Amino acid sequence: MIKIITSELYKLKNSTLTWFILLISTAQIIVLPSYLLIKSSSIDISTICIVLSLLIPFETAVNSNLLVDQERKANNFENIISNDQSYLIITAKMITIDFVLIFPTIVVWIMAGIINGILVSCIELGMNIFLLSVLLNHAHMIINLVFSTSINYIVATIETLFIVFASNKVLVNAYWCPVAMPINRILNIGNHNTVTIIIYSMVMIILISIIVQRRLFKIE
């Protein structure tokens, strides 16, 4: 698995997807700490978390579009499907993107925690942002495979609306809406701690990953 992930990381080198993630990550690393240096409070951090969360649906939609388009240009996944380690390869692709997404999150929220003197709280906030990113990244993979790019962006719009509703405390403990769970924790509402949200999100991510793989191997 490690060798496959290393290979996937190498394939991302100089790709459009890598440059897009780098651009978004650099903007976050520059803007968030700069803002906190000017004006810092726990309320501001929560507000920033919600603003960043509103960007995640479209960011992950673009990520999945770029990744799927890259693979389709390589004979429409035929190389993956014909490989004996096909399930490992597609799993490695998802883990690789997850791996790439976590680094800017770690940097941003460690810097935010140091600036505000609340490192543990900021790391917890960052973990919820990361879980939301991974959850939507996997979800948009299956949407892209099953439907089309336009549908992918329509779903991203709906997800953004759910985040808005959750930020207004409309979706407290709404298990049917995975997008709302990390937002509830960021706002410190509902009956669940971060560990519960992590377990819930991981179960949803695994289920989505299984659906992605099953759909992938039906592509002709």
Side-chain angles (χ1 to χ4, degrees), residues 1-9 88 92 95-96:
M1 174 65 82
I2 300 299
K3 289 183 178 179
I4 298 175
I5 292 176
T6 303
S7 175
E8 291 301 321
L9 284 171
L88 281 177
I95 292 175
T96 301

Side-chain angles (χ1 to χ4, degrees), residues 23-73:
L23 176 64
I24 298 297
S25 302
T26 302
Q28 291 181 17
I29 291 171
I30 293 174
V31 173
L32 178 57
S34 299
Y35 175 79
L36 292 176
L37 283 170
I38 298 171
K39 182 179 180 182
S40 61
S41 71
S42 58
I43 296 177
D44 289 332
I45 291 178
S46 299
T47 301
I48 291 172
C49 281
I50 299 302
V51 172
L52 291 177
S53 298
L54 291 170
L55 301 176
I56 290 174
F58 285 97
E59 179 187 347
T60 52
V62 173
N63 286 345
S64 65
N65 287 340
L66 292 174
L67 181 61
V68 170
D69 184 61
Q70 176 179 299
E71 296 302 331
R72 280 178 172 155
K73 288 180 179 178

Side-chain angles (χ1 to χ4, degrees), residues 135-146:
L135 182 64
L136 294 188
N137 190 57
H138 288 235
H140 282 285
M141 276 287 291
I142 185 63
I143 293 168
N144 217 324
L145 288 169
V146 175

Side-chain angles (χ1 to χ4, degrees), residues 174-186:
Y175 293 102
W176 58 270
C177 184
V179 174
M181 302 302 285
I183 303 300
N184 288 339
R185 185 54 194 162
I186 288 171

Side-chain angles (χ1 to χ4, degrees), residues 204-216:
M204 296 302 297
I205 289 166
I206 291 171
L207 289 174
I208 293 170
S209 299
I210 292 172
I211 295 172
V212 169
Q213 296 193 36
R214 289 185 177 278
R215 173 61 188 175
L216 174 63

